Amino acid sequence: QVTLWLKKLYGSVPIPEYEVNERTVDILHEIMENNEERDKDVMLLIEDMKDRTSKYEAEADYWHDILGESLSFLEGSMSKEANDDLTDLVQSAIELDVEDTSLTSFYSAINDMTLEMYKTKSKNKEMEQKLRILTKKLTSALMVEKQLEKDVEELKKSQGIQQAKAETQSKNLKFLEDKSKDLKIRICDAEAKLVARGLDQSLTHEALVKSSEELAALRKEMEPLKTELASYLDLPP
């Protein structure tokens, strides 16, 4: 609906480019509905004026026939000035939609039409204000959307860099793990060869690690004993 409305609105002129999304289409749809409502009001006013014109033309013909037949008062027998005044009077009555040609009816019709004109102007101003607000909202929405697209692009780039770093770290970790396993295998093979050649079992890597752990445990057990001994050493002779 919005696309058809824009094509009809711009005619042969190309439609300006805009970002097509749910928010922009909703705003354009609201503007479209307001314009269509305004066009309908104008068309109804035009149809009403046409109807009034037909009505008063028929009434003018009716009275023209009566004047011509009953009073033999034909238009051709009047002076040009009188004929012009009569034509102006008929046109004014048609335009103002009066019941008769009295001065009171004319003044009343003029006042009504003036009031209607002010109401129409007020409604047009209200519609224009609403259109300006909607246009401002649309512009703001487009700016926010562009900023969001920019932020998403930057986030994608940042995620790509982080992912590349993570992959590099993962590869390095895998390399170190494989290297550690290889070194452990080589150490075990070397120890096995040394043991086969008569190396004392207590000098192997595993035995040294175990001895180191036992030594650390013994040192930890000795801490309270050292504290207790220090308390005795502080006693007077």
Side-chain angles (χ1 to χ4, degrees):
Q1 291 179 351
V2 171
T3 302
L4 293 176
W5 173 69
L6 289 174
K7 289 181 178 178
K8 181 180 178 182
L9 183 64
Y10 284 94
S12 59
V13 180
I15 300 175
E17 294 184 0
Y18 65 96
E19 188 69 24
V20 180
N21 55 50
E22 184 176 357
R23 180 175 178 79
T24 56
V25 172
D26 287 342
I27 294 174
L28 287 173
H29 188 268
E30 187 174 354
I31 296 174
M32 177 193 73
E33 289 181 341
N34 291 332
N35 285 346
E36 289 180 347
E37 182 180 354
R38 184 176 176 181
D39 291 341
K40 287 180 181 178
D41 292 340
V42 173
M43 291 302 297
L44 289 175
L45 183 61
I46 292 173
E47 291 297 328
D48 182 63
M49 295 303 295
K50 287 182 178 179
D51 183 66
R52 292 180 184 182
T53 301
S54 299
K55 176 182 176 182
Y56 281 102
E57 285 179 351
E59 187 173 354
D61 292 339
Y62 169 74
W63 286 108
H64 183 273
D65 292 340
I66 290 178
L67 291 173
E69 294 177 2
S70 302
L71 303 176
S72 298
F73 187 66
L74 298 177
E75 184 178 351
S77 63
M78 295 188 298
S79 64
K80 183 178 183 304
E81 183 178 357
N83 189 33
D84 292 340
D85 291 340
L86 180 61
T87 301
D88 292 339
L89 184 64
V90 172
Q91 291 296 329
S92 299
I94 293 174
E95 293 292 336
L96 297 174
D97 190 20
V98 294
E99 295 295 335
D100 52 49
T101 56
S102 65
L103 191 59
T104 303
S105 296
F106 275 108
Y107 277 133
S108 177
I110 290 173
N111 289 334
D112 291 341
M113 182 168 287
T114 303
L115 179 61
E116 184 178 355
M117 180 186 68
Y118 282 122
K119 288 182 178 179
T120 303
K121 285 184 177 180
S122 177
K123 187 175 181 180
N124 288 340
K125 288 182 179 179
E126 183 180 349
M127 295 293 291
E128 289 174 357
Q129 179 67 20
K130 192 172 184 180
L131 180 61
R132 282 195 294 268
I133 293 174
L134 290 174
T135 304
K136 187 176 180 181
K137 288 182 179 180
L138 176 60
T139 304
S140 177
L142 292 174
M143 293 177 64
V144 171
E145 183 182 10
K146 289 182 179 180
Q147 183 62 41
L148 288 175
E149 289 178 353
K150 184 178 179 180
D151 293 341
V152 169
E153 290 297 327
E154 291 179 354
L155 180 60
K156 286 181 178 180
K157 291 179 180 178
S158 176
Q159 288 179 344
I161 294 173
Q162 294 296 331
Q163 185 176 0
K165 289 182 179 179
E167 290 178 355
T168 302
Q169 292 176 354
S170 177
K171 290 179 180 179
N172 292 337
L173 179 61
K174 183 67 169 57
F175 172 77
L176 292 176
E177 289 177 349
D178 294 340
K179 192 68 176 177
S180 176
K181 290 179 181 179
D182 181 61
L183 290 174
K184 287 180 180 179
I185 293 172
R186 291 185 181 183
I187 290 172
C188 290
D189 292 343
E191 288 178 350
K193 291 178 180 179
L194 291 173
V195 169
R197 293 178 182 179
L199 178 68
D200 188 355
Q201 290 287 345
S202 62
L203 297 177
T204 62
H205 176 73
E206 184 178 355
L208 292 173
V209 171
K210 185 176 181 182
S211 298
S212 177
E213 292 175 350
E214 292 175 352
L215 179 60
L218 289 173
R219 286 178 177 176
K220 189 174 182 181
E221 292 176 0
M222 289 176 62
E223 289 297 327
L225 296 176
K226 287 181 178 181
T227 304
E228 185 177 357
L229 179 61
S231 65
Y232 286 111
L233 292 175
D234 288 340
L235 292 174

